[in-house]
Amino acid sequence: MNHELQIGTTRIIDELGRIVIPKKIRDNLCIKPQDALEIRVSGQTILLKKYEEMQSLISLCEEYLSIFAKSSSTAVAICSTQHVLAARGVSLSDKYPLSAPMKSLIAGCRSYQYQETNKIPLFDGSNTDLDCLYPIGTAKKPLGCVVLFHFREQTKEERACAKFVADMLTHILLKEDAYVA
């Protein structure tokens, strides 16, 4: 499954310094109107990356996951709305987009618990199924999620811890928003 889109194209900069990002690239990277882009320069190269609020908390996410992993032997990950940010107990790539059902749960700020008749994979086409998903953010501002994987039945204590981490990250991010507003 190749999720990397290889496109080379030339665009003209208009008099205001704007360029148009091709639709195929915007669609592949889930860039919508009004999304923020991070702009960096490396030598003579301009790098554009979709800005994700959760990215600013990656070190905190990794600390939470380290603590979680010490108290539990389960695989856990924290994801943005588009991809995995950090994981413990399982090796995951941040290069693949999350599965469509997972993105839908995050967008709707809905929790999920494993159901044999409604399995949700981490990535489209993968057999890494979720045991549970707890959203980070609110219905008006979904930011990501905390997930446990269905390699084994998770305990209610492990699920409660995962929900607690999601609630803590939501609280921290919303608190930061209050300071900015």
Side-chain angles (χ1 to χ4, degrees):
M1 134 174 97
N2 182 10
H3 290 284
E4 288 196 31
L5 184 64
Q6 300 292 326
I7 295 179
T9 186
T10 303
R11 295 293 170 155
I12 304 296
I13 296 175
D14 72 11
E15 57 279 348
L16 296 176
R18 298 177 296 198
I19 61 168
V20 174
I21 300 171
K23 182 172 180 4
K24 190 171 183 180
I25 293 173
R26 292 190 321 261
D27 289 348
N28 188 60
L29 298 175
C30 301
I31 297 172
K32 300 179 290 300
Q34 306 305 312
D35 281 352
L37 296 179
E38 186 177 328
I39 303 170
R40 293 182 184 210
V41 175
S42 177
Q44 294 294 308
T45 303
I46 299 171
L47 303 167
L48 297 174
K49 181 180 177 188
K50 184 175 177 181
Y51 175 75
E52 298 181 75
E53 283 187 67
M54 289 288 294
Q55 196 69 38
S56 66
L57 290 181
I58 194 130
S59 61
L60 182 60
C61 291
E62 293 197 9
E63 284 183 49
Y64 279 162
L65 291 185
S66 292
I67 294 165
F68 192 99
K70 285 180 185 175
S71 65
S72 172
S73 62
T74 192
V76 59
I78 297 177
C79 305
S80 69
T81 58
Q82 301 299 317
H83 62 271
V84 175
L85 293 175
R88 291 290 182 278
V90 63
S91 179
L92 297 171
S93 172
D94 65 356
K95 293 186 180 197
Y96 302 118
L98 299 177
S99 69
M102 222 177 129
K103 287 180 184 178
S104 177
L105 286 169
I106 294 168
C109 208
R110 295 185 315 272
S111 297
Y112 165 83
Q113 283 197 2
Y114 181 82
Q115 301 165 21
E116 187 65 39
T117 58
N118 184 26
K119 296 179 184 179
I120 296 186
L122 177 64
F123 306 121
D124 285 324
S126 82
N127 58 1
T128 304
D129 294 328
L130 305 184
D131 180 80
C132 59
L133 176 149
Y134 297 103
I136 299 169
T138 64
K140 288 185 180 180
K141 191 171 185 176
L143 300 169
C145 66
V146 175
V147 295
L148 299 181
F149 299 99
H150 193 74
F151 299 130
R152 64 168 172 79
E153 184 82 19
Q154 304 300 322
T155 67
K156 66 180 179 182
E157 291 82 9
E158 289 167 331
R159 288 179 174 154
C161 286
K163 183 176 183 334
F164 178 75
V165 170
D167 290 345
M168 287 294 294
L169 289 169
T170 296
H171 177 76
I172 290 166
L173 287 163
L174 294 179
K175 195 169 153 182
E176 281 182 2
D177 275 359
Y179 288 128
V180 173

